[in-house]
Amino acid sequence: MSSSASKNIESVLVENRVFPPDTRATQGARISGMAAYEALCKEAEQDFEGFWTRLAKDNLNWTKPFTKTLDESNAPFYQWFGDGELNASANCLDRHVGTPVENKTAIVFEADDGTVTKVTYKELLARVSQFANALKARGIKKGDRVIVYMPMTIEGVVAMQACARIGATHSVVFGGFSAKALQERIIDAGAVAVITANYQLRGGKELPLKAIVDDGIALGGCESIKTVLVYERTPTAWNRVEGRDITFTEALNGQSTECAPVPVNAEHPLFILYTSGSTGKPKGVQHSTGGYLLWAKLTMDWTFDIRPEDVFWCTADIGWITGHTYVAYGPLAAGATQVVFEGIPTFPHAGRFWQMIEKHKVSVFYTAPTAIRSLIKAADGDEKVHPKNWDLTSLRILGSVGEPINPEAWMWYHRNVGGERCPIVDTFWQTETGGHVITPLPGATPLVPGSCTLPLPGIMTAIVDETGKDLPNGAGGMLVIKRPWPSMIRTIWNDPERFKKSYFPEEMGGTIYLAGDGAVRSADRGYFRITGRIDDVLNVSGHRLGTMEIESALVAKTDLVAEAAVVGRPDDVTGEAVCAFVVLKRARPTGEEAKQIANELRNWVAKEIGPIAKPKDIRFGDNLPKTRSGKIMRRLLRSIAKGEAITQDTSTLENPAILEQLSQTN
Ligand code: PRX
């Protein structure tokens, strides 16, 4: 285990502040008090399938009811509700027709420049249906894969919902990814269309999207793409490829606003979302329709205790799993009013989030620790952007996601945003889990800063050693989920073997889900605390990056780079920062030259993967620390990156002198 992991464990052992749920949160909560939570857990333990059967029947509309809840015959390729049929879009939109939700605001959209647009559920249904008809008119049908490369807009949500409506499988690519990353995903998914915008607006800047799509396709191998649909977000001109490109306006013209949702099997892939793993190649995480949607809806009810009058705001981009489950699907399935925000938290000032909470009377606010930490820093530096300048009394529940929240940030969030009355749900989950798996419940769980507390009912989490043996409370180990759950990853698109190998290790019997995180349970309450990834995955500003992916990008600069090793180091704002150790094909640069080459390499990584993967530190060496068998000793690099003295055993190191050289900063 890395030393940062053991440091985290130490701090959980000393964290003894406990915040029992405020009576304002428990009153009328769906799960009110620990007894109610424990009763649900017990129900799941005593009759696992019966528990999920009840929930799936109560929470989703099925066009063909399922008769088998869980099929484990081909584990770990589990099937949930496998003979049932439904449509995800119908479960988010049509289900509200004829109910009071029909005329309720579904989305409050705030543009980068502050302009606000609202759509009701009825209007959203019409827009999604019309867009679905436009997709059909382009020959897109059930089972086709469609890339969505869109900014945070109502149109982005409409595009995802429209795919779901016709049974097309969407694969959203975050707007910050490069042409190369886009091309790799188009090829892997075998996509037939790309839905994009000419530009995206962020922080007052216009950033191209369509031009990147063109560049990605031009890299080759994307012949499957027949259509590029372009939302003209700004009046700025863009380059049209005749016969392939069509604007939203043209595509929607003359299309009916009614479109019957296509029923699909519960196991039909609703989407593929690429995420980083331990190798250089991102994994296409495939999610189902029935099980995924059930969990999206249910966690809105359980974790956020969503109520008819709530205004929900999840700040995540639709390019990430959080934006799928808690923007594009969950809030709609729950009939909630939600805020969708195009911009960034620091534009035009770092009080934008607080200002928007006041303006839209947000009651449930869900964001990432990295955003909180950067806003703390901004507020420390400038009183005018401190949350105290805005009326935040509409807030009822706060949420955190994506990385561990350090107790100091938790306390600040609790005091300055939550007014010491709002429970903070520190939700632990992953792209692969589809929705929350370990989280406090706002009306039940006593909170401990920095702990995601306890698993949701029906989620059988444990901490084990390498052989799968349970470890006692207080002992750090690997986080696993022992039984399948409805919203779990179904496979890795195009790579079922990698799916088995990555998540269901043979040494543990081949059927237990290995999360890839280290964790420890507190001695007193059995609360979980996540100590960080145990594989080669970094978490930078809540964005998941594979060290191997960045290494591959660096060595792809063949004219310059001979070898590269990437590790993470702790960072006060971004959680972790990317640190690259590089051996060049020429003499080791120093001084100005080193700075210049480091910049060149940063820009190269931005081009290969995206700006989020740019290494913060780049150090040059004549070599890398290696064992005699040639293995790079990453634990030493981690210490060097942190600026720590090397206390580890270096006796197996082939070239000890290299450590000194790499310790020098440029
Ligand atoms: O390391 C864990 C961290 O984020 C990883 C999953 O990243 P991704 O698939 O991009 O999904 C992020 C949004 C769900 C996990 O393996 N992580 C996520 N939430 C938390 C967390 N670490 C600690 N506490 C959390 N609440």
Side-chain angles (χ1 to χ4, degrees):
M1 194 179 295
S2 71
S3 63
S4 78
S6 48
K7 211 167 88 211
N8 282 341
I9 293 170
E10 271 163 36
S11 63
V12 76
L13 295 178
V14 297
E15 179 58 73
N16 48 20
R17 286 171 289 198
V18 180
F19 297 80
D22 194 296
T23 46
R24 281 165 291 197
T26 45
Q27 253 165 30
R30 271 194 194 74
I31 303 180
S32 181
M34 283 307 269
Y37 161 74
E38 279 153 14
L40 278 168
C41 294
K42 200 155 162 213
E43 183 191 345
E45 269 155 38
Q46 287 175 343
D47 179 10
F48 192 65
E49 287 198 37
F51 172 77
W52 291 114
T53 306
R54 173 176 76 76
L55 293 170
K57 284 189 175 159
D58 289 354
N59 285 281
L60 296 178
N61 292 343
W62 297 86
T63 40
K64 179 172 169 244
F66 59 91
T67 62
K68 179 142 187 65
T69 299
L70 172 62
D71 182 351
E72 301 185 76
S73 59
N74 190 26
F77 299 94
Y78 299 102
Q79 298 222 336
W80 283 92
F81 322 116
D83 60 348
E85 286 182 9
L86 76 169
N87 179 280
S89 166
N91 269 281
C92 291
L93 301 169
D94 308 58
R95 77 184 300 167
H96 305 303
V97 174
T99 78
V101 176
E102 181 179 70
N103 292 312
K104 181 176 170 177
T105 300
I107 297 178
V108 179
F109 173 66
E110 181 158 325
D112 192 52
D113 70 359
T115 312
V116 174
T117 319
K118 295 183 182 178
V119 286
T120 65
Y121 270 89
K122 209 170 169 178
E123 288 160 353
L124 190 62
L125 171 60
R127 282 173 69 166
V128 168
S129 300
Q130 195 181 27
F131 201 82
N133 283 328
L135 294 177
K136 285 202 287 191
R138 304 294 298 179
I140 300 166
K141 55 184 191 310
K142 179 175 162 183
D144 285 343
R145 274 83 57 210
V146 175
I147 298 282
V148 175
Y149 190 58
M150 287 285 281
M152 281 298 285
T153 45
I154 297 173
E155 285 71 15
V157 176
V158 167
M160 293 166 78
Q161 284 280 339
C163 288
R165 197 161 186 89
I166 62 169
T169 299
H170 59 68
S171 185
V172 185
V173 178
F174 174 59
F177 276 120
S178 68
K180 175 95 185 303
L182 191 61
Q183 176 221 20
E184 283 167 4
R185 287 155 175 75
I186 290 172
I187 295 174
D188 192 73
V192 300
V194 180
I195 305 174
T196 190
N198 62 338
Y199 285 87
Q200 60 177 332
L201 288 166
R202 283 168 71 81
K205 290 195 200 103
E206 264 195 42
L207 306 164
L209 283 176
K210 168 62 169 60
I212 297 174
V213 173
D214 290 347
D215 290 350
I217 293 175
L219 289 170
C222 301
E223 293 72 27
S224 58
I225 298 290
K226 303 289 178 255
T227 303
V228 175
L229 282 129
V230 183
Y231 168 49
E232 295 185 288
R233 175 67 190 94
T234 67
T236 320
W238 49 280
N239 192 30
R240 180 192 285 257
V241 176
E242 288 304 332
R244 189 196 71 185
D245 299 353
I246 181 170
T247 67
F248 271 35
T249 315
E250 291 158 357
L252 292 169
N253 189 19
Q255 295 297 343
S256 159
T257 53
E258 280 175 29
C259 170
V262 175
V264 299
N265 184 276
E267 283 296 317
H268 181 73
L270 179 61
F271 64 87
I272 306 166
L273 184 59
Y274 287 84
T275 190
S276 297
S278 302
T279 73
K281 192 173 178 282
K283 310 188 258 203
V285 173
Q286 179 180 319
H287 276 288
S288 70
T289 300
Y292 171 80
L293 205 67
L294 170 62
W295 205 229
K297 157 77 168 58
L298 212 52
T299 47
M300 286 299 297
D301 287 348
W302 284 357
T303 312
F304 297 122
D305 190 33
I306 207 81
R307 301 178 188 190
E309 63 281 10
D310 271 325
V311 177
F312 177 76
W313 182 18
C314 164
T315 65
D317 192 283
I318 52 167
W320 309 112
I321 190 69
T322 311
H324 279 59
T325 312
Y326 301 107
V327 177
Y329 291 105
L332 300 178
T337 294
Q338 71 170 319
V339 173
V340 170
F341 177 42
E342 183 179 41
I344 58 170
T346 48
F347 176 82
H349 56 76
R352 181 79 183 257
F353 274 6
W354 324 131
Q355 185 183 36
M356 282 180 63
I357 290 171
E358 176 185 284
K359 180 163 154 194
H360 303 299
K361 301 204 165 33
V362 172
S363 55
V364 181
F365 179 63
Y366 191 34
T367 196
T370 187
I372 298 166
R373 286 192 300 264
S374 73
L375 298 178
I376 293 174
K377 216 172 155 186
D380 282 350
D382 179 4
E383 282 257 300
K384 290 203 294 298
V385 297
H386 192 280
K388 68 182 176 202
N389 297 298
W390 287 276
D391 176 4
L392 305 181
T393 51
S394 58
L395 286 171
R396 198 165 74 74
I397 294 169
L398 300 176
S400 170
V401 60
E403 49 180 320
I405 177 161
N406 44 312
E408 301 72 40
W410 194 102
M411 286 307 301
W412 188 92
Y413 196 28
H414 178 67
R415 275 195 198 118
N416 298 298
V417 184
E420 296 186 352
R421 72 182 183 282
C422 303
I424 298 179
V425 289
D426 175 0
T427 61
F428 167 81
W429 60 296
Q430 310 171 301
T431 305
E432 292 87 344
T433 67
H436 308 149
V437 286
I438 309 181
T439 177
L441 297 173
T445 319
L447 305 170
V448 171
S451 167
C452 52
T453 72
L454 296 168
L456 284 171
I459 305 289
M460 308 304 185
T461 47
I463 297 177
V464 300
D465 67 12
E466 298 75 34
T467 62
K469 202 172 87 300
D470 279 324
L471 290 171
N473 289 356
M478 293 185 272
L479 180 67
V480 295
I481 307 179
K482 292 195 160 178
R483 297 283 281 135
W485 68 102
S487 67
M488 69 193 297
I489 174 176
R490 291 306 194 264
T491 188
I492 293 176
W493 182 260
N494 269 341
D495 207 346
E497 273 311 306
R498 189 175 176 198
F499 167 72
K500 281 205 281 191
K501 250 176 62 193
S502 309
Y503 304 111
F504 299 93
E506 281 301 326
E507 313 81 75
M508 294 186 189
T511 57
I512 290 178
Y513 175 80
L514 178 71
D517 279 292
V520 61
R521 299 185 74 159
S522 63
D524 51 351
R525 296 172 181 267
Y527 275 12
F528 285 79
R529 160 99 167 194
I530 306 300
T531 53
R533 299 287 308 191
I534 51 171
D535 53 11
D536 296 319
V537 169
L538 304 183
N539 194 325
V540 180
S541 296
H543 297 150
R544 191 164 149 180
L545 298 168
T547 52
M548 300 272 273
E549 228 175 309
I550 306 173
E551 286 168 13
S552 307
L554 285 166
V555 296
K557 184 129 186 67
T558 48
D559 57 329
L560 200 60
V561 178
E563 210 177 359
V566 168
V567 298
R569 66 155 170 77
D571 183 280
D572 282 350
V573 174
T574 59
E576 269 187 299
V578 178
C579 196
F581 294 89
V582 177
V583 181
L584 295 181
K585 286 186 170 166
R586 43 190 274 198
R588 188 173 79 95
T590 52
E592 270 313 302
E593 195 195 9
K595 281 202 184 105
Q596 189 209 319
I597 298 180
N599 263 342
E600 190 181 340
L601 291 178
R602 273 188 202 103
N603 293 337
W604 171 264
V605 171
K607 220 176 104 235
E608 286 285 289
I609 305 175
I612 50 169
K614 276 187 183 181
K616 189 160 183 181
D617 293 349
I618 297 187
R619 310 239 183 129
F620 298 102
D622 295 325
N623 209 330
L624 296 173
K626 287 184 187 157
T627 60
R628 288 190 179 87
S629 58
K631 215 170 155 255
I632 298 174
M633 295 181 77
R634 286 166 194 282
R635 59 186 173 87
L636 293 179
L637 291 176
R638 275 186 217 112
S639 298
I640 295 175
K642 270 193 247 170
E644 279 176 3
I646 308 273
T647 52
Q648 296 107 320
D649 176 18
T650 53
S651 57
T652 54
L653 192 61
E654 155 108 33
N655 47 351
I658 199 70
L659 298 180
E660 173 114 3
Q661 189 180 70
L662 292 172
S663 300
Q664 290 160 21
T665 44
N666 298 311

